[in-house]
Each structure stands twice: as structure tokens, then as C-alpha cells.
Amino acid sequence: MSSQGNHCSFVLLAEFHILEGAQLKYQFPQPLGVDEQVLAMSMLPDGAEMQVDDWTIFFLNQTPFNTISPVVGLDSPDLKVSGLPGDEGATDEPDLLCVLNLVRTKHDKTLNRGAQVLALAICTRHPFIQIFKPVLLMALDDYLLDPSQDCLARLFDAVNSMDLSGAPTLTRFEKMVMRCSERKDVFAEKFEQQPQGSPNTLSVAVKQHRSSHSGESFASFEDGLLLRGKDKEKRVDENRARERDWDNTSRPRERADTVDSHGTTHTRSSHQTTPPSDTSFTLGGSAVWVGDESGLEDVLSQDGHHYAESVVSMTPASTLVGTGRKRRSTDGSSQSSHIGNPNLLRPPMNPNMASFDSSHSRGGWTKDTHFFHTTLAYRDHQLPIKMPLSTYPEEVGDYSLITLIKVFNGTVTGPLHPHLHSSGPQTHPIIVLFNALVTGKRIIFLGHKRPAGEVSSFVLAACALGSGCGAVLRGFIERAFPYANLNNRDEWEAVPAYIAGVTNPIFESSRAWDLLLDISTGHVVVAKDILATYPTTPGQVFNPPLITRSGTLKAEASLGADEEIMKAGGKGPADFVPKADNNADSLFMEDLKAAIEYHYGESLVRVRFVEYVTRFVRMASRYEEEASGATSIGYPSNPFLESSVGRTARLGSGVIFNDDSLGLKELVANAPRVDAWRKTNTYQYYMQDFKKSLTANPIKGFDVVHQIFRLRHAKRMGDAEVSLLMQTLADNVKTYDQVVELLSYLMPHSGGLLPLGFGLFHQDESVRNRTVDLFNQIRAYPIGVLFLQALNHFQRYAYVRQAHARIRRPSDLPPVLYAPAITSRTHSNSSATMPVDRLNGAF
């Protein structure tokens, strides 16, 4: 990102004149070439005199009536920001300009109307416009003291002098990983090339060692195998005393080897182990140790790669606990006193993989890496700026999905329409809003006597809702008018499928909308004539042609007779009332409301909507495949094929349902809104994005999302499928970009690497080895280390033990034979993921 010249394109100032009305007074550095009255009315909303301060947002370069044409062209490569997902190619269309506008009413009894209403706005191509609010407030104060164009020039220069050159540029998958993680140090390594003294530089401090819980330690696996320090003797005595107490109370298992008071080692049975110590409980609260590792010091000195060290230390950091039992315990708290020692570094297990040294330790990281911290100098003030790094182009401003859900949590009035009511009259208002967004309906948010800024935030939240927070779909911002008024009503109402925010109640009676959402009351109203505007046929509603591919779905008769689907006999498609029992949309909204009730944050709600929109798109691809025989927005739906004579095994792809009859019912219920979505620009954009992703994504050749879904929700997976799946992942996830893409599909809130971790317990040794290989490749990178740290204690210990055993096992030994595992392998902590019966299909 360029450090200057790309933040602010124009500065505008408007003022309300008692005789002439709203007037655009200044345009800096030059006129935009847009109707000044249109700009002035957009900057001075209705009822502005009722608010002391108000914020409005609107866009330029959307339609011909608000496209800029400055006298001197200001566009240059430096002014362009990163494009939309999958839209890397050049385009003749001008970049969308986001306008952040501050409206202020200054009461003055000496004036005719007793007040002065001013509006100051900046035009930027950045979607994170909220970072400019502090400087706008100061600039408007400055203008009130000295009302001249010099104030606009100072604001323009100050914003464009803001240095963002050190901000890391994240890929689409890196942004997804970042927003799914609550850690304050995610991708911290990307900030470490900054010069000393910058706000985001890593501060590594040598601290006095103290015991701490794992939650207090942010060190990585690669922090180094810490050597014995001066406190070794004290820790030896403490652990010996603890072991004696343990021996006197209970002896569940014998230890692998012991050392008596004279230093003589007595070897016992190989399955014996030692009791845990306090230092063993720093790995997320679990006791993890490897048992007898005598001779490991010899391994450390044999070569420069230190493989054994790397495997032993699978916790945030590892410490050689100097017990007389020669036991090694992983200790995440002991790293703090040795972080800065360069002699204790350890490369990854694979010498061909890049790693990072101990200076990358997260223990001293003081800034939240979800933001780039910089300053903006305005006059004599240094304003702190926190630029979000995981924002997509379809996310503009500081919106809130939680507020959107809380406000519109009642009922929907008006006629039922299959495009909107995918679950009949029980369809939640938020689902109705989503259906209206993706099917291209005209939507108005009405906020009578509400601040225009509040109305704008609801419009921006709706755009994020429909796009999956910008991570899945696009094409909503280009038809959004966060604040619209009567002055240019004919122009924005002419935009197909507009999304507008208004404060004038006259729009409620205009009926130029399909869905109206009243912010003041929380009511959602469907237009009375929507069935005439968007007619549907009985065949479209009830009998979509899901018969082209034989053998994939059961017969349509399994749905039941028509009289079971149409509740009031003789009624038309407008009265179609599908059963809403346990459908995916209802369960999704129940989960969201429960999460909000239990005070989960905005980040979790956004991630859940990313999953929801992704599932809708994959469901649409399956419907498209069933209806027309092929799909252009997803992988073809194929089950796993085992190898046979003349045929190699092939992984499955696309959407495969656990229950075919339930899957068919869900496809039929979604058919109307999918058919309507296929006629919109949003569908065309996604089709282009998917085609580009097949060649642009780091992982190529197979459907990764399908494989992860199988691991999470499949009732049964054969050994051949598991083996091929793990082999394919191990062969295709090696580079940094490939690892990040894989992790972006493994949301932490749904278990993270948990589905892959079960491969460590598979009955087939080859599957276990491939899982270890995959984890080794993941942990070669800092972000992979963080995900491995989040594994549960059993999987983490299994990985440590198996990786260590593979390194120490002589190559000439035959493979170990294991007893066959039981057929059913249910996930012991399945609460981390959605139960199988609650999710029958895509994601």
C-alpha cells in the first residue's frame, strides 16, 4: 500500500442557507463534476437540525447521476485499492468512492434561525472509512473557528500524509483466518519488518520466570527448547518431593525409568510413566510429557537441525524439567525468561521448510494485529489510527450485525412469497432480508426521526449480511444508498434492486419498494403487490426438475403428495407454506440468537454468516446441477469412488447429503430463491469469481470444503477414503499460501484442526503418518503453530508422541502392527461442531 496520495480524493463542505436551502460551498482540490445540489442534499439530511452531530455515508461513481468527472484527472495506480475477491482484472468502470460526512448543528441566537448547520465530508476509496472520524471532528471545529477553504486544504493534506506503508497486505484467505481468530497476535510476523520505534514493532522483554497458565502465554512452538537454568536444582527438588507424595498416595502406573538418591538409573517396564507436575499443566491445562527421552541430548548435538527438540516442544514453549526421573515436560510458562536468547533457536522438523526464530515470540506483543496502528498528524495533534486489516470491499464503515438481528426480531407482515419466505410464515425476518438481498428485491430501511447515521449503518449491515461479510458474494454496495432523499429520488429508485436508507416517512406510502424495514418499530413489511411484480408458477415452486442425474437423489415421491405440501387445498403458489420444522434456516437463527444472548461478540456472528452464505451458494450449485445437469458455481457433486480394475480412487466433491430424502426436501424448499438469485448480477459475479478461483487458489485439483465436511459430519468413512484424503492434503498443502487456505476453512469456533486431528488415532498407520506429515507442514509457519496450539490435549499429545517416535525409530524396523479399531469412531468432543442431524449438506 502506498504511503501517501491514496487516502483522500476530495474534501467537501456544505452549508444550509436560510433562503437558498442546502448549498455546496467548497470542493477541494477541484470540482467533482457532479450536480452540486445532489451533493448538498446528500450531505445535509432531513432533520439535521434536530441532531447536534450526525454521520452520513453515501457513494459516488455508482450511477450516471453521481459519477464524478473532475476537470483534472486524479486517478492513478496509487489511488486504486485492492479489488473485489476474484476481480483482479482491469476494468473501465471508475472506482467506487465512499463519502464520510459529518453534519453539525451550531446553535447561535444571533442567526435568523438560531442555528448554523454545516457538513464536512471526505471522499476515499478505502472501505474502512470509520478511521477518519476523529480528524473530521477536529477539522470541522477548526472550520467553525476559521471558516475558509484553508481548513479543507489542511484536512486533505493531513489525511494523505498518513503513512500506511508498513501495513501488511493480506490475501482473501489471510483475512478470513484473521477475522476468525480472537488472538491479538495473529500474523504478528508480518509486522516485524518495520523500523524500530514504529507503533507495531515487536517488543521482546527478558522477564523473570514465573509459573503461569497457558492462557497467559502467547509463545509459539518455535520459541526454542529451553535449556536448564539456575533454577534447575530447585525444580528438581520440588518435583522429587511431589513424586514421593504421589508414590505414597497412589501408583496408577509405574514410571519408565527412575533415578535413586545415588544417581543410579533403574529401568522399568516401557509402558510406565511419571505423575504430573505443576509445570506439566501449562499446555492449555493438561499434563503432557513424553516419558523416557534419555539420550535426547545426544541427538541435539549430532546435527544442526535438532529434530528431537522440535518434536518434544509441541507446546507454546518447552522446558527440560530437571527431575531425577529424566522426564521431559512441556512448559509454556518457562519461555518468558529466555525469549531473547538467540542461542536457543530451533528450526522446524523439516529442514526444507521456512520457520521463524525466537524474536517472533508473541509473549511481548503489545498491539492487536487485527489493526495497523499508525498516527495522523493534524496541526499540533497526533491522532492514533487503527486501520482494520481484514476488511473486504463489500464491508463499508463500522456496521453491526448484532444490532440488525436485535432490532428485526419480530414478525413479517404482508403476503407470502416463495422468494422471501423460504420457511413459510415462520421465516425469521433476518432470513427474509437475506432472501430479498440475494434475489434482487428493492429494499428500504426507514428511520423516521432517527439520525441519518443510524439509518446508514443498517443499510451497510444489510450489504454485509447479503455478501457473507464480503467474503463470499459481491455486488451489494454498488446498489446501496445508505442515505437517500427526495431530491434525487427518481435516479436511485431507477437502480434495479436498490438498498436504500431514508428518514422521510413519505417513502412508506410510495410503494416503490418490495421490502420495508422500520428501524423505529422493528417491523418488516412485504409489499402488497409483490406477487404481481414477481410472479411465480406452481411448477417453479413445487416441482423443480431435480431428475437429470440418476442415482444421486431418491425419487421425488419421497417428499409426499402435493396435498401434504399445499396446506389449504386449492390455493395457489402465493399461499405455499412449507414445513419449517428443524430446517437449516430456523436452526441457524436459533443458534445466532443463543450466541447473542450469551454475549458472544460481533466477530463470531460475522463468521457464522460467512458460513451461512457459503452454504447457500453450495446448495445453489447442487440445485443447479440437478436442474440442468451441470453447475458453473461449484464442483460437481460426486461421492468417493474406490479403486478398482482400470480405475484409480477419486475423492468426492460438491454437496453430498447425509440423508438423500432430507436433502431433496431442502433443495425443493430453496428452489424458488435459488432460481431468483440466478437472474441477478450477484450470481454473475460469483460465477466469474468461482471460475477464477479454480486457477488462482493455492490448493488446486480437489474440493477442500467437501473433504472437511466429510471429516466433520459423515456418518461413516471407509479407510480407503480417509487414507486418500489425508494423502491428498499432505501432498497439496505445503506452501504458506496453501496452509493459510486450508486453515481458512477450519474455523476455530467449530473446532479448528479437530477434524484432521482424528487422523492421529486412525487404525491405519499410514493414515497416522500422513496426518503427522500434514501437521508438520502446517507448523512450519507461525499461523499454523497457533492452530496447532488450539488442538485439544489428547490430539496435541498424540502428535508429539507420534512425531517423536517417527524421528527416533530406525528406518530398518518393520512397521508396527496395531489391533483393528472399532468401526464407529464418534468424536468425543462433538460439541465443538454442529451435530450431524442439524446440518445435512453443504458446509
Side-chain angles (χ1 to χ4, degrees):
M1 182 178 293
S2 179
S3 61
Q4 59 182 1
N6 61 335
H7 310 316
C8 178
S9 300
F10 300 93
V11 179
L12 310 174
L13 188 133
E15 186 174 359
F16 187 85
H17 193 274
I18 187 172
L19 299 178
E20 300 177 0
Q23 298 293 317
L24 186 64
K25 193 171 183 179
Y26 295 120
Q27 304 179 64
F28 187 86
Q30 62 172 319
L32 277 71
V34 180
D35 186 350
E36 293 186 2
Q37 191 63 24
V38 171
L39 291 175
M41 293 299 294
S42 298
M43 295 174 64
L44 295 169
D46 297 334
E49 67 278 1
M50 305 296 294
Q51 309 291 333
V52 177
D53 281 336
D54 196 4
W55 298 92
T56 62
I57 297 171
F58 58 95
F59 301 111
L60 298 176
N61 291 339
Q62 280 179 299
T63 60
F65 81 88
N66 66 9
T67 297
I68 66 173
S69 56
V71 177
V72 180
L74 297 179
D75 287 341
S76 67
D78 287 340
L79 290 175
K80 294 184 179 295
V81 296
S82 57
L84 296 169
D87 192 25
E88 293 82 3
T91 176
D92 296 333
E93 298 181 359
D95 291 339
L96 192 71
L97 279 179
C98 305
V99 183
L100 177 65
N101 178 56
L102 171 61
V103 188
R104 175 168 295 176
T105 301
K106 181 182 179 182
H107 296 279
D108 188 348
K109 294 181 180 180
T110 62
L111 300 176
N112 291 335
R113 299 187 63 180
Q116 181 184 16
V117 182
L118 296 171
L120 181 63
I122 63 171
C123 307
T124 177
R125 288 175 171 82
H126 295 313
F128 39 84
I129 56 178
Q130 68 274 11
I131 69 173
F132 300 113
K133 286 186 176 182
V135 70
L136 264 181
L137 287 167
M138 296 192 66
L140 190 53
D141 290 337
D142 190 15
Y143 180 85
L144 290 173
L145 296 175
D146 179 19
S148 66
Q149 193 173 0
D150 294 340
C151 174
L152 278 69
R154 283 193 296 269
L155 175 61
F156 182 85
D157 294 337
V159 172
N160 282 325
S161 64
M162 181 175 60
D163 185 12
L164 298 181
S165 59
T169 301
L170 303 183
T171 65
R172 175 181 180 273
F173 298 112
E174 286 176 329
K175 289 180 179 181
M176 182 54 61
V177 171
M178 173 173 282
R179 66 171 49 196
C180 293
S181 174
E182 295 183 356
R183 294 187 61 126
K184 305 297 184 182
D185 57 347
V186 61
F187 292 119
E189 66 280 358
K190 291 184 173 293
F191 292 88
E192 292 166 8
Q193 300 302 322
Q194 300 183 45
Q196 291 294 329
S198 60
N200 281 84
T201 52
L202 186 67
S203 58
V204 179
V206 178
K207 304 176 182 179
Q208 182 67 27
H209 170 75
R210 63 179 179 89
S211 298
S212 63
H213 299 292
S214 61
E216 300 173 0
S217 175
F218 295 92
S220 65
F221 291 158
E222 301 291 340
D223 285 338
L225 188 61
L226 304 180
L227 300 178
R228 296 175 173 87
K230 294 182 179 180
D231 58 348
K232 171 184 174 182
E233 299 299 332
K234 179 179 179 181
R235 192 168 294 132
V236 168
D237 296 337
E238 291 177 352
N239 284 327
R240 281 177 177 173
R242 187 179 296 107
E243 289 166 6
R244 285 194 299 269
D245 295 340
W246 178 280
D247 293 338
N248 294 333
T249 55
S250 61
R251 299 173 62 91
R253 287 186 296 180
E254 295 294 332
R255 289 170 286 280
D257 57 13
T258 59
V259 180
D260 60 16
S261 59
H262 300 286
T264 305
T265 301
H266 303 278
T267 303
R268 298 186 182 180
S269 58
S270 60
H271 66 276
Q272 297 159 346
T273 182
T274 59
S277 65
D278 290 342
T279 55
S280 301
F281 282 86
T282 58
L283 206 168
S286 67
V288 178
W289 63 91
V290 188
D292 181 15
E293 295 171 8
S294 57
L296 186 58
E297 290 80 1
D298 298 334
V299 179
L300 301 181
S301 59
Q302 286 175 2
D303 57 82
H305 300 303
H306 304 286
Y307 291 153
E309 290 183 84
S310 181
V311 183
V312 175
S313 299
M314 299 314 301
T315 65
S318 298
T319 301
L320 297 180
V321 180
T323 64
R325 309 290 183 178
K326 291 186 180 282
R327 171 174 61 82
R328 304 226 174 192
S329 171
T330 55
D331 185 3
S333 63
S334 301
Q335 55 87 23
S336 58
S337 61
H338 305 279
I339 287 179
N341 190 342
N343 298 322
L344 305 180
L345 307 185
R346 183 185 69 257
M349 288 186 294
N350 189 336
N352 296 323
M353 295 182 180
S355 183
F356 59 102
D357 58 30
S358 64
S359 64
H360 295 200
S361 169
R362 291 160 164 77
W365 191 261
T366 59
K367 298 290 186 179
D368 187 353
T369 55
H370 290 78
F371 303 91
F372 176 75
H373 299 259
T374 185
T375 58
L376 190 153
Y378 184 79
R379 288 208 158 187
D380 297 331
H381 302 277
Q382 295 290 331
L383 303 178
I385 300 295
K386 293 175 59 178
M387 186 191 78
L389 296 176
S390 60
T391 300
Y392 290 98
E394 288 286 318
E395 296 180 293
V396 177
D398 193 14
Y399 65 92
S400 173
L401 292 180
I402 291 181
T403 302
L404 184 70
I405 295 172
K406 286 183 175 180
V407 171
F408 299 106
N409 194 30
T411 58
V412 182
T413 59
L416 299 181
H417 195 283
H419 292 176
L420 304 180
H421 300 80
S422 52
S423 302
Q426 294 83 18
T427 307
H428 194 277
I430 295 298
I431 301 299
V432 172
L433 173 60
F434 171 79
N435 293 340
L437 288 165
V438 297
T439 58
K441 302 299 184 289
R442 299 169 297 175
I443 303 172
I444 281 185
F445 286 86
L446 173 62
H448 182 44
K449 296 183 178 180
R450 291 296 187 97
E454 183 179 354
V455 178
S456 299
S457 65
F458 277 93
V459 175
L460 298 176
C463 294
L465 170 71
S467 65
C469 298
V472 185
L473 301 177
R474 58 185 175 97
F476 298 94
I477 288 295
E478 66 185 24
R479 52 189 171 97
F481 302 88
Y483 173 73
N485 52 63
L486 289 170
N487 184 63
N488 56 348
R489 172 180 176 180
D490 294 337
E491 285 79 5
W492 61 262
E493 283 188 347
V495 175
Y498 65 78
I499 312 165
V502 300
T503 57
N504 196 325
I506 195 173
F507 289 99
E508 185 175 4
S509 58
S510 67
R511 296 299 178 183
W513 44 266
D514 302 314
L515 188 69
L516 184 139
L517 300 96
D518 193 332
I519 297 172
S520 302
T521 62
H523 292 164
V524 179
V525 183
V526 179
K528 296 180 179 179
D529 57 350
I530 191 171
L531 291 169
T533 308
Y534 306 96
T536 58
T537 61
Q540 179 188 12
V541 177
F542 302 122
N543 299 305
L546 303 175
I547 57 176
T548 56
R549 300 193 310 130
S550 60
T552 57
L553 291 177
K554 296 181 180 179
E556 293 184 51
S558 62
L559 283 178
D562 287 348
E563 59 270 14
E564 296 180 3
I565 302 177
M566 299 179 62
K567 288 303 178 185
K571 292 187 178 182
D575 300 299
F576 169 56
V577 183
K579 293 182 179 180
D581 301 343
N582 296 324
N583 65 73
D585 290 348
S586 299
L587 295 175
F588 171 73
M589 290 309 304
E590 288 177 7
D591 291 342
L592 273 187
K593 288 188 290 186
I596 295 173
E597 182 180 354
Y598 284 97
H599 306 289
Y600 282 87
E602 177 75 14
S603 60
L604 175 66
V605 176
R606 294 185 183 186
V607 170
R608 292 302 307 274
F609 270 106
V610 173
E611 291 179 338
Y612 179 81
V613 178
T614 302
R615 188 174 189 274
F616 166 76
V617 170
R618 290 178 65 84
M619 183 74 64
S621 70
R622 177 62 186 267
Y623 169 80
E624 188 177 64
E625 188 177 6
E626 296 293 340
S628 60
T631 177
S632 56
I633 59 172
Y635 288 91
S637 300
N638 296 313
F640 170 75
L641 293 181
E642 296 189 11
S643 60
S644 61
V645 179
R647 184 187 69 186
T648 58
R650 186 189 67 188
L651 290 174
S653 62
V655 180
I656 301 296
F657 296 106
N658 292 328
D659 188 305
D660 289 340
S661 61
L662 292 179
L664 180 55
K665 289 182 180 180
E666 190 167 6
L667 286 179
V668 172
N670 283 275
R673 64 174 178 175
V674 171
D675 277 328
W677 176 57
R678 294 175 65 192
K679 301 174 184 178
T680 65
N681 289 337
T682 304
Y683 172 84
Q684 297 297 325
Y685 291 149
Y686 185 78
M687 183 170 60
Q688 299 170 13
D689 294 343
F690 176 76
K691 183 179 179 181
K692 292 180 180 180
S693 70
L694 294 178
T695 56
N697 284 359
I699 301 178
K700 300 179 178 66
F702 66 102
D703 188 355
V704 185
V705 177
H706 173 91
Q707 315 310 326
I708 294 175
F709 176 85
R710 291 284 296 164
L711 289 173
R712 282 177 175 164
H713 303 291
K715 295 180 179 179
R716 289 184 179 85
M717 288 186 69
D719 293 344
E721 180 180 3
V722 176
S723 178
L724 180 59
L725 191 158
M726 299 308 300
Q727 182 65 56
T728 304
L729 288 177
D731 292 342
N732 291 275
V733 181
K734 294 183 178 180
T735 67
Y736 171 78
D737 291 334
Q738 291 170 342
V739 168
V740 171
E741 180 182 354
L742 176 64
L743 298 180
S744 69
Y745 302 129
L746 296 164
M747 306 291 187
H749 72 273
S750 60
L753 292 174
L754 178 72
L756 299 178
F758 285 104
L760 297 168
F761 304 99
H762 197 272
Q763 61 183 358
D764 190 345
E765 185 180 16
S766 64
V767 173
R768 298 195 298 273
N769 289 337
R770 290 162 184 166
T771 304
V772 172
D773 291 338
L774 177 61
F775 281 7
N776 289 345
Q777 291 156 194
I778 290 175
R779 71 174 284 263
Y781 307 101
I783 187 61
V785 168
L786 299 184
F787 272 72
L788 286 170
Q789 287 179 1
L791 283 172
N792 67 48
H793 312 135
F794 300 101
Q795 292 179 333
R796 194 158 34 178
Y797 173 69
Y799 174 36
V800 173
R801 177 177 51 81
Q802 294 181 37
H804 189 200
R806 284 182 55 189
I807 292 172
R808 299 190 61 188
R809 181 187 304 164
S811 58
D812 56 345
L813 288 181
V816 181
L817 298 179
Y818 297 90
I822 57 176
T823 303
S824 176
R825 293 186 299 275
T826 304
H827 295 183
S828 61
N829 51 352
S830 57
S831 60
T833 61
M834 185 177 293
V836 173
D837 59 350
R838 291 173 66 88
L839 184 59
N840 181 40
F843 192 76

